[in-house]
Structures are given as C-alpha cells and as structure tokens.
mmCIF file of all heavy atoms in Angstrom:
data_model
loop_
_atom_site.group_PDB
_atom_site.id
_atom_site.type_symbol
_atom_site.label_atom_id
_atom_site.label_comp_id
_atom_site.label_asym_id
_atom_site.label_seq_id
_atom_site.Cartn_x
_atom_site.Cartn_y
_atom_site.Cartn_z
ATOM 1 N N PHE A 1 110.641 95.992 115.156
ATOM 2 C CA PHE A 1 110.264 95.967 113.757
ATOM 3 C C PHE A 1 108.742 96.062 113.709
ATOM 4 O O PHE A 1 108.053 95.152 114.174
ATOM 5 C CB PHE A 1 110.688 94.650 113.100
ATOM 6 C CG PHE A 1 112.161 94.474 112.865
ATOM 7 C CD1 PHE A 1 113.010 94.117 113.902
ATOM 8 C CD2 PHE A 1 112.700 94.619 111.591
ATOM 9 C CE1 PHE A 1 114.365 93.917 113.689
ATOM 10 C CE2 PHE A 1 114.056 94.420 111.360
ATOM 11 C CZ PHE A 1 114.892 94.077 112.409
ATOM 12 N N PRO A 2 108.157 97.111 113.141
ATOM 13 C CA PRO A 2 106.695 97.225 113.136
ATOM 14 C C PRO A 2 106.019 96.456 112.016
ATOM 15 O O PRO A 2 104.806 96.229 112.072
ATOM 16 C CB PRO A 2 106.468 98.724 112.965
ATOM 17 C CG PRO A 2 107.642 99.186 112.176
ATOM 18 C CD PRO A 2 108.797 98.332 112.628
ATOM 19 N N GLY A 3 106.789 96.045 110.996
ATOM 20 C CA GLY A 3 106.186 95.359 109.860
ATOM 21 C C GLY A 3 107.065 94.276 109.290
ATOM 22 O O GLY A 3 107.259 94.187 108.076
ATOM 23 N N GLY A 4 107.612 93.427 110.165
ATOM 24 C CA GLY A 4 108.505 92.382 109.700
ATOM 25 C C GLY A 4 109.850 92.942 109.270
ATOM 26 O O GLY A 4 110.180 94.100 109.515
ATOM 27 N N ALA A 5 110.643 92.113 108.587
ATOM 28 C CA ALA A 5 111.997 92.517 108.206
ATOM 29 C C ALA A 5 112.002 93.730 107.296
ATOM 30 O O ALA A 5 112.914 94.564 107.346
ATOM 31 C CB ALA A 5 112.710 91.353 107.519
ATOM 32 N N SER A 6 110.974 93.868 106.448
ATOM 33 C CA SER A 6 110.972 94.959 105.470
ATOM 34 C C SER A 6 110.381 96.254 106.005
ATOM 35 O O SER A 6 110.482 97.291 105.351
ATOM 36 C CB SER A 6 110.199 94.531 104.217
ATOM 37 O OG SER A 6 108.850 94.229 104.535
ATOM 38 N N GLY A 7 109.768 96.224 107.192
ATOM 39 C CA GLY A 7 109.057 97.393 107.697
ATOM 40 C C GLY A 7 109.923 98.417 108.397
ATOM 41 O O GLY A 7 109.418 99.452 108.829
ATOM 42 N N GLY A 8 111.232 98.164 108.520
ATOM 43 C CA GLY A 8 112.109 99.090 109.221
ATOM 44 C C GLY A 8 112.197 98.784 110.702
ATOM 45 O O GLY A 8 111.614 97.803 111.189
ATOM 46 N N ILE A 9 112.913 99.599 111.449
ATOM 47 C CA ILE A 9 113.122 99.413 112.884
ATOM 48 C C ILE A 9 112.906 100.756 113.573
ATOM 49 O O ILE A 9 113.457 101.779 113.145
ATOM 50 C CB ILE A 9 114.555 98.910 113.190
ATOM 51 C CG1 ILE A 9 114.925 97.733 112.281
ATOM 52 C CG2 ILE A 9 114.674 98.498 114.654
ATOM 53 C CD1 ILE A 9 116.378 97.293 112.392
ATOM 54 N N LEU A 10 112.135 100.750 114.641
ATOM 55 C CA LEU A 10 111.876 101.965 115.408
ATOM 56 C C LEU A 10 112.405 101.822 116.828
ATOM 57 O O LEU A 10 112.402 100.717 117.388
ATOM 58 C CB LEU A 10 110.378 102.267 115.441
ATOM 59 C CG LEU A 10 109.758 102.714 114.113
ATOM 60 C CD1 LEU A 10 108.245 102.789 114.230
ATOM 61 C CD2 LEU A 10 110.343 104.049 113.664
ATOM 62 N N PRO A 11 112.843 102.915 117.457
ATOM 63 C CA PRO A 11 113.361 102.854 118.828
ATOM 64 C C PRO A 11 112.233 102.878 119.843
ATOM 65 O O PRO A 11 111.086 103.235 119.532
ATOM 66 C CB PRO A 11 114.215 104.123 118.922
ATOM 67 C CG PRO A 11 113.520 105.084 118.017
ATOM 68 C CD PRO A 11 112.980 104.270 116.875
ATOM 69 N N ALA A 12 112.560 102.541 121.087
ATOM 70 C CA ALA A 12 111.579 102.550 122.174
ATOM 71 C C ALA A 12 110.975 103.928 122.371
ATOM 72 O O ALA A 12 109.818 104.054 122.801
ATOM 73 C CB ALA A 12 112.232 102.065 123.464
ATOM 74 N N SER A 13 111.704 104.970 122.045
ATOM 75 C CA SER A 13 111.184 106.333 122.201
ATOM 76 C C SER A 13 110.018 106.622 121.263
ATOM 77 O O SER A 13 109.282 107.589 121.458
ATOM 78 C CB SER A 13 112.304 107.351 121.943
ATOM 79 O OG SER A 13 112.818 107.221 120.630
ATOM 80 N N LEU A 14 109.811 105.763 120.241
ATOM 81 C CA LEU A 14 108.694 105.917 119.304
ATOM 82 C C LEU A 14 107.708 104.759 119.456
ATOM 83 O O LEU A 14 107.098 104.320 118.482
ATOM 84 C CB LEU A 14 109.215 105.996 117.867
ATOM 85 C CG LEU A 14 110.068 107.223 117.527
ATOM 86 C CD1 LEU A 14 110.579 107.155 116.096
ATOM 87 C CD2 LEU A 14 109.277 108.504 117.752
ATOM 88 N N ALA A 15 107.531 104.284 120.670
ATOM 89 C CA ALA A 15 106.625 103.165 120.922
ATOM 90 C C ALA A 15 105.209 103.608 121.239
ATOM 91 O O ALA A 15 104.370 102.792 121.609
ATOM 92 C CB ALA A 15 107.155 102.296 122.072
ATOM 93 N N ASP A 16 104.925 104.905 121.108
ATOM 94 C CA ASP A 16 103.571 105.418 121.332
ATOM 95 C C ASP A 16 102.934 105.935 120.046
ATOM 96 O O ASP A 16 101.949 106.670 120.088
ATOM 97 C CB ASP A 16 103.584 106.521 122.393
ATOM 98 C CG ASP A 16 103.846 105.960 123.793
ATOM 99 O OD1 ASP A 16 103.238 104.923 124.126
ATOM 100 O OD2 ASP A 16 104.653 106.546 124.519
ATOM 101 N N ILE A 17 103.471 105.525 118.911
ATOM 102 C CA ILE A 17 102.870 105.875 117.616
ATOM 103 C C ILE A 17 101.732 104.900 117.335
ATOM 104 O O ILE A 17 101.881 103.691 117.535
ATOM 105 C CB ILE A 17 103.917 105.769 116.489
ATOM 106 C CG1 ILE A 17 105.129 106.644 116.792
ATOM 107 C CG2 ILE A 17 103.305 106.129 115.148
ATOM 108 C CD1 ILE A 17 106.278 106.377 115.854
ATOM 109 N N PRO A 18 100.575 105.362 116.866
ATOM 110 C CA PRO A 18 99.512 104.432 116.469
ATOM 111 C C PRO A 18 100.007 103.479 115.375
ATOM 112 O O PRO A 18 100.607 103.920 114.385
ATOM 113 C CB PRO A 18 98.400 105.350 115.952
ATOM 114 C CG PRO A 18 98.655 106.656 116.616
ATOM 115 C CD PRO A 18 100.147 106.770 116.738
ATOM 116 N N LEU A 19 99.764 102.205 115.560
ATOM 117 C CA LEU A 19 100.206 101.197 114.599
ATOM 118 C C LEU A 19 99.086 100.928 113.599
ATOM 119 O O LEU A 19 98.067 100.313 113.925
ATOM 120 C CB LEU A 19 100.580 99.905 115.326
ATOM 121 C CG LEU A 19 101.777 99.982 116.280
ATOM 122 C CD1 LEU A 19 101.914 98.696 117.072
ATOM 123 C CD2 LEU A 19 103.059 100.292 115.515
ATOM 124 N N ASP A 20 99.282 101.399 112.380
ATOM 125 C CA ASP A 20 98.276 101.197 111.347
ATOM 126 C C ASP A 20 98.877 101.582 110.004
ATOM 127 O O ASP A 20 100.009 102.071 109.925
ATOM 128 C CB ASP A 20 97.033 102.055 111.648
ATOM 129 C CG ASP A 20 95.801 101.595 110.861
ATOM 130 O OD1 ASP A 20 95.860 100.497 110.273
ATOM 131 O OD2 ASP A 20 94.801 102.332 110.826
ATOM 132 N N PHE A 21 98.113 101.344 108.944
ATOM 133 C CA PHE A 21 98.534 101.807 107.638
ATOM 134 C C PHE A 21 98.743 103.321 107.671
ATOM 135 O O PHE A 21 97.966 104.062 108.273
ATOM 136 C CB PHE A 21 97.478 101.463 106.583
ATOM 137 C CG PHE A 21 97.241 99.988 106.408
ATOM 138 C CD1 PHE A 21 96.027 99.417 106.755
ATOM 139 C CD2 PHE A 21 98.227 99.173 105.885
ATOM 140 C CE1 PHE A 21 95.803 98.064 106.585
ATOM 141 C CE2 PHE A 21 98.020 97.813 105.709
ATOM 142 C CZ PHE A 21 96.800 97.250 106.064
ATOM 143 N N ASP A 22 99.773 103.765 107.029
ATOM 144 C CA ASP A 22 100.050 105.193 106.780
ATOM 145 C C ASP A 22 100.569 105.958 107.992
ATOM 146 O O ASP A 22 101.000 107.100 107.829
ATOM 147 C CB ASP A 22 98.798 105.917 106.252
ATOM 148 C CG ASP A 22 98.122 105.188 105.098
ATOM 149 O OD1 ASP A 22 98.853 104.638 104.254
ATOM 150 O OD2 ASP A 22 96.875 105.160 105.057
ATOM 151 N N THR A 23 100.561 105.385 109.193
ATOM 152 C CA THR A 23 100.971 106.152 110.373
ATOM 153 C C THR A 23 102.481 106.147 110.594
ATOM 154 O O THR A 23 102.982 106.946 111.394
ATOM 155 C CB THR A 23 100.288 105.611 111.638
ATOM 156 O OG1 THR A 23 100.680 104.244 111.841
ATOM 157 C CG2 THR A 23 98.769 105.689 111.521
ATOM 158 N N LEU A 24 103.204 105.275 109.932
ATOM 159 C CA LEU A 24 104.635 105.120 110.199
ATOM 160 C C LEU A 24 105.518 105.663 109.083
ATOM 161 O O LEU A 24 106.741 105.670 109.208
ATOM 162 C CB LEU A 24 104.971 103.639 110.421
ATOM 163 C CG LEU A 24 104.154 102.910 111.496
ATOM 164 C CD1 LEU A 24 104.545 101.449 111.548
ATOM 165 C CD2 LEU A 24 104.357 103.561 112.851
ATOM 166 N N HIS A 25 104.909 106.118 107.993
ATOM 167 C CA HIS A 25 105.701 106.525 106.834
ATOM 168 C C HIS A 25 106.645 107.673 107.158
ATOM 169 O O HIS A 25 107.785 107.701 106.666
ATOM 170 C CB HIS A 25 104.770 106.910 105.685
ATOM 171 C CG HIS A 25 104.049 105.735 105.097
ATOM 172 N ND1 HIS A 25 103.044 105.858 104.163
ATOM 173 C CD2 HIS A 25 104.178 104.408 105.316
ATOM 174 C CE1 HIS A 25 102.594 104.671 103.841
ATOM 175 N NE2 HIS A 25 103.258 103.771 104.530
ATOM 176 N N GLU A 26 106.214 108.622 107.955
ATOM 177 C CA GLU A 26 107.075 109.770 108.251
ATOM 178 C C GLU A 26 108.305 109.375 109.061
ATOM 179 O O GLU A 26 109.264 110.139 109.154
ATOM 180 C CB GLU A 26 106.286 110.841 109.001
ATOM 181 C CG GLU A 26 105.767 110.416 110.367
ATOM 182 C CD GLU A 26 104.992 111.542 111.053
ATOM 183 O OE1 GLU A 26 105.629 112.534 111.446
ATOM 184 O OE2 GLU A 26 103.760 111.402 111.191
ATOM 185 N N TYR A 27 108.284 108.174 109.625
ATOM 186 C CA TYR A 27 109.437 107.681 110.386
ATOM 187 C C TYR A 27 110.290 106.713 109.563
ATOM 188 O O TYR A 27 111.210 106.087 110.094
ATOM 189 C CB TYR A 27 108.955 106.992 111.658
ATOM 190 C CG TYR A 27 108.072 107.879 112.504
ATOM 191 C CD1 TYR A 27 106.679 107.755 112.455
ATOM 192 C CD2 TYR A 27 108.604 108.869 113.328
ATOM 193 C CE1 TYR A 27 105.856 108.572 113.215
ATOM 194 C CE2 TYR A 27 107.785 109.698 114.093
ATOM 195 C CZ TYR A 27 106.412 109.539 114.024
ATOM 196 O OH TYR A 27 105.597 110.362 114.774
ATOM 197 N N GLY A 28 109.963 106.574 108.278
ATOM 198 C CA GLY A 28 110.734 105.697 107.412
ATOM 199 C C GLY A 28 110.380 104.241 107.547
ATOM 200 O O GLY A 28 111.175 103.375 107.157
ATOM 201 N N CYS A 29 109.196 103.930 108.081
ATOM 202 C CA CYS A 29 108.777 102.549 108.310
ATOM 203 C C CYS A 29 107.354 102.338 107.801
ATOM 204 O O CYS A 29 106.676 103.281 107.393
ATOM 205 C CB CYS A 29 108.850 102.204 109.801
ATOM 206 S SG CYS A 29 110.515 102.287 110.505
ATOM 207 N N PHE A 30 106.891 101.104 107.821
ATOM 208 C CA PHE A 30 105.493 100.809 107.523
ATOM 209 C C PHE A 30 105.068 99.563 108.281
ATOM 210 O O PHE A 30 105.900 98.760 108.729
ATOM 211 C CB PHE A 30 105.252 100.647 106.015
ATOM 212 C CG PHE A 30 106.051 99.553 105.358
ATOM 213 C CD1 PHE A 30 105.658 98.224 105.434
ATOM 214 C CD2 PHE A 30 107.185 99.863 104.619
ATOM 215 C CE1 PHE A 30 106.381 97.227 104.805
ATOM 216 C CE2 PHE A 30 107.919 98.871 103.988
ATOM 217 C CZ PHE A 30 107.511 97.544 104.080
ATOM 218 N N ILE A 31 103.732 99.381 108.411
ATOM 219 C CA ILE A 31 103.221 98.275 109.218
ATOM 220 C C ILE A 31 103.112 96.984 108.423
ATOM 221 O O ILE A 31 103.190 95.893 108.987
ATOM 222 C CB ILE A 31 101.866 98.641 109.860
ATOM 223 C CG1 ILE A 31 101.499 97.627 110.942
ATOM 224 C CG2 ILE A 31 100.768 98.745 108.800
ATOM 225 C CD1 ILE A 31 100.316 98.047 111.789
ATOM 226 N N GLY A 32 102.916 97.071 107.104
ATOM 227 C CA GLY A 32 102.854 95.867 106.278
ATOM 228 C C GLY A 32 101.852 94.862 106.793
ATOM 229 O O GLY A 32 100.670 95.160 106.966
ATOM 230 N N SER A 33 102.308 93.663 107.077
ATOM 231 C CA SER A 33 101.447 92.582 107.559
ATOM 232 C C SER A 33 101.301 92.588 109.073
ATOM 233 O O SER A 33 100.805 91.620 109.652
ATOM 234 C CB SER A 33 101.990 91.227 107.103
ATOM 235 O OG SER A 33 103.316 91.042 107.589
ATOM 236 N N ALA A 34 101.714 93.665 109.737
ATOM 237 C CA ALA A 34 101.602 93.809 111.198
ATOM 238 C C ALA A 34 102.388 92.744 111.940
ATOM 239 O O ALA A 34 101.927 92.179 112.927
ATOM 240 C CB ALA A 34 100.138 93.818 111.643
ATOM 241 N N ALA A 35 103.598 92.479 111.457
ATOM 242 C CA ALA A 35 104.503 91.544 112.128
ATOM 243 C C ALA A 35 105.416 92.339 113.052
ATOM 244 O O ALA A 35 106.314 93.042 112.598
ATOM 245 C CB ALA A 35 105.330 90.770 111.107
#
C-alpha cells in the first residue's frame, strides 16, 4: 500500500516507481500521507 488503506495496492513488479505526489496516479494509486 503506497498511501495507507486509501492509496491502493501495487505489486512487487511496480516497486521501482518513484514515490511522490502525482507519480502513482497512472497506476490507480496515490501516495497520500506516505503510509
């Protein structure tokens, strides 16, 4: 979970995406509070 319960869930195959605002939207997720 890149952004807590509300931030969505990403697989290990996407563990090299930069974690920041706006970088996860195309994957259906967001960083939120960085939880």
Side-chain angles (χ1 to χ4, degrees):
F1 288 78
S6 61
I9 312 173
L10 290 172
S13 60
L14 295 177
D16 289 316
I17 304 169
L19 295 172
D20 197 12
F21 298 114
D22 311 322
T23 61
L24 306 177
H25 290 172
E26 63 180 291
Y27 305 99
C29 297
F30 59 80
I31 193 170
S33 59

